[in-house]
Amino acid sequence: MLEGRCLCGAVTAVVEPSDGHMTACNCENCRRWTGGVNFTFAVVPETAQIEGPIKTITPMPWARRGFCAECGSGIYYKVTTEGELNGLLKVSAGLFNDAGGLPLDVEFYADERPASYDLSKPHRTMTRAEVEAYFVDD
Amino acid sequence: MSKTGRCLCGAVSFELTEKPKSYGACHCGMCRKFSGGIELGVQVMPGQITWSGEDSIGTYASSEWAERGFCTTCGSSLFWRLTLPGDLQGMLSLSAGALDNLDGMAFDTEVYVDHKPANHAFSGERRRMTEAEVREMVGAAPESGNA
């Protein structure tokens, strides 16, 4: 289990990583929400203990985000659409020491990454079309 | 490049007096918690920004000399702001991700590189500064914690 907390400490998270890697996302939604580049990793929803003053929003049709109402730290992303990924819970890596320590495995929305930055490879990249085909169950 | 920007939900927006030309990244633990990933910031001097929807900006005093601003409706990270009295009071590191467009901007600095987790890195060459180097530059005490 990994223990993390938001900037002010009002939200705490004790989680068990589920797939052993970290994801970066360059989409506009993540960019505006984080202010930069979003890093998340998937955790086992049933054992996740995420507590504190969390406010939620639904900024996309298939997922909900939660943030600390006291300091604004981004806490999680949860898939809400029906289908195989329903309930998938990803937490912000920044809440944890060493960003959780999991290897960066995949970069989402690689085709929307601002040209001025690039994350060192090797890791897989997925375009908007590929990511949305994965998350949106038709 | 863009003079305008907003949070994810649009409750807070802003206009800068000039198009920002560059941004930097901060790898400190506080910026990592606040952003959730990597905080990218644009330096904005006092008087160079006009806000709309200011009622929706929440602040958190993250140290004795700075505060963080976020949208209370959607949680978007908006800025780090210097609160210490003086000529630079009100100076922002505005979240670059809030800008409507980052095209044509240069990514020229990374700070607190000695705090960066080992599982990711930016490629390419730019100015890279450790915490000690940043503190020396701003004349801050070496042991007083992050901003």
Side-chain angles (χ1 to χ4, degrees), chain B residues 119-140:
Chain B
N119 61 358
H120 61 272
F122 287 116
S123 58
E125 291 306 312
R126 64 190 58 83
R127 187 179 193 194
R128 289 187 164 91
M129 302 175 75
T130 62
E131 177 181 2
E133 289 167 338
V134 172
R135 289 191 173 281
E136 187 179 348
M137 183 179 74
V138 300

Side-chain angles (χ1 to χ4, degrees), chain B residues 12-141:
Chain B
V12 179
S13 59
F14 58 82
E15 181 166 357
L16 300 169
T17 54
E18 291 175 34
K19 288 182 180 177
K21 295 182 175 61
S22 65
Y23 64 88
C26 181
H27 298 291
C28 84
M30 299 183 86
C31 280
R32 287 193 286 112
K33 281 184 160 54
F34 186 54
S35 67
I38 305 177
E39 180 71 18
L40 301 177
V42 172
Q43 182 174 297
V44 176
M45 303 308 282
Q48 290 186 331
I49 189 166
T50 304
W51 294 98
S52 297
E54 264 186 292
D55 289 353
S56 295
I57 299 176
T59 58
Y60 169 69
S62 52
S63 72
E64 290 178 0
W65 44 291
E67 64 184 5
R68 311 275 173 159
F70 61 97
C71 172
T72 55
T73 303
C74 70
S76 293
S77 302
L78 295 171
F79 58 77
W80 170 99
R81 178 159 56 197
L82 188 67
T83 52
L84 206 64
D87 292 347
L88 295 178
Q89 188 178 40
M91 184 181 83
L92 303 181
S93 175
L94 179 71
S95 293
L99 290 168
D100 290 331
N101 190 335
L102 277 72
D103 290 351
M105 292 177 72
F107 173 25
D108 62 4
T109 312
E110 289 180 60
V111 298
Y112 284 74
V113 291
D114 48 332
H115 292 247
K116 185 185 70 60
N119 61 358
H120 61 272
F122 287 116
S123 58
E125 291 306 312
R126 64 190 58 83
R127 187 179 193 194
R128 289 187 164 91
M129 302 175 75
T130 62
E131 177 181 2
E133 289 167 338
V134 172
R135 289 191 173 281
E136 187 179 348
M137 183 179 74
V138 300

Side-chain angles (χ1 to χ4, degrees), chain A residues 8 33 35 62 75 91-93 97 100 104 108 124 126-127:
Chain A
C8 72
W33 199 56
W62 64 87
I75 307 295
V91 293
S92 297
N97 282 344
L104 174 58
F108 284 170
R124 293 181 294 134
M126 292 171 73
T127 63

Side-chain angles (χ1 to χ4, degrees), chain A residues 47-135:
Chain A
T47 59
Q49 300 166 54
I50 301 175
E51 292 165 357
I54 293 177
K55 186 168 179 179
T56 61
I57 50 162
T58 305
M60 57 191 87
W62 64 87
R64 181 166 78 223
R65 293 188 191 274
F67 64 96
C68 174
E70 302 294 325
C71 71
S73 295
I75 307 295
Y76 70 79
Y77 168 98
K78 186 169 191 173
V79 176
T80 51
T81 46
E82 293 305 313
E84 269 182 44
L85 295 177
N86 180 260
L88 174 69
L89 179 62
K90 303 185 88 172
V91 293
S92 297
L95 305 177
F96 301 85
N97 282 344
D98 208 23
L102 302 168
L104 174 58
D105 174 70
V106 61
E107 187 175 347
F108 284 170
Y109 290 76
D111 51 334
E112 298 185 13
R113 174 178 55 78
S116 47
Y117 75 77
D118 196 10
L119 291 163
S120 297
K121 305 290 186 296
H123 52 258
R124 293 181 294 134
T125 58
M126 292 171 73
T127 63
R128 166 185 283 271
E130 289 167 338
V131 173
E132 294 187 1
Y134 175 71
F135 278 108

